[in-house]
Each structure stands twice: as C-alpha cells, then as structure tokens.
Amino acid sequence: MKHAAARTRAHMNRAVLKLTTRVQEGLEEAARRPDRGDISTTTVIIWVAAVTGAVLIAGTIAVVISKYNGKLTGL
C-alpha cells in the first residue's frame, strides 16, 4: 500500500513539474513574441454570431417542419 502511494505521489510530482515547465515556457514565448498570431476578439465575436444565426435558422426550420408535418406528408 505504501509503495502504491509513493508511486502515485511520484507521478503527480512529474505531472506538476511538466505542467509548470510548459506554463513557464509559454510565458517566456509570450514575452519574446507578444504578437503570436492569437485569434482576435473580433474574430471570436463574428464566429459566435455566425454559429448563433445558424442555430436560430435551423431551429426555426425545425419548428416549421414539426408544425406542418401532418400537412406536408400528403404532398
């Protein structure tokens, strides 16, 4: 039982070390190159608006089809 706990602790320590190293490297990279080509806020807003519009259109079509489904089956 003690061996398993020590092994788990060692795995956790390695994972924390990897994570902190990666975060530190990312911060150093950001300091070196402030404009790394990150996605802009405007792009995110445009994508959210486009997806929202598409979902609203699809929802409206689904409502119309379900409302008139009985009448459309005879066509």
Side-chain angles (χ1 to χ4, degrees):
M1 190 76 160
K2 289 181 182 180
H3 182 65
R7 192 174 30 193
T8 302
R9 201 173 314 116
H11 285 294
M12 288 178 58
N13 287 340
R14 280 194 298 272
V16 169
L17 179 62
K18 283 183 181 181
L19 180 62
T20 54
T21 302
R22 179 63 187 116
V23 169
Q24 185 177 6
E25 289 171 354
L27 291 173
E28 290 170 358
E29 177 72 15
R32 243 187 352 264
R33 294 180 11 187
D35 184 20
R36 299 184 322 266
D38 289 340
I39 191 164
S40 69
T41 305
T42 307
T43 305
V44 172
I45 291 170
I46 291 170
W47 273 102
V48 168
V51 169
T52 302
V55 167
L56 287 174
I57 291 169
T60 303
I61 291 170
V63 167
V64 169
I65 287 175
S66 68
K67 183 177 180 181
Y68 295 106
N69 195 24
K71 295 178 183 176
L72 293 174
T73 55
L75 292 179

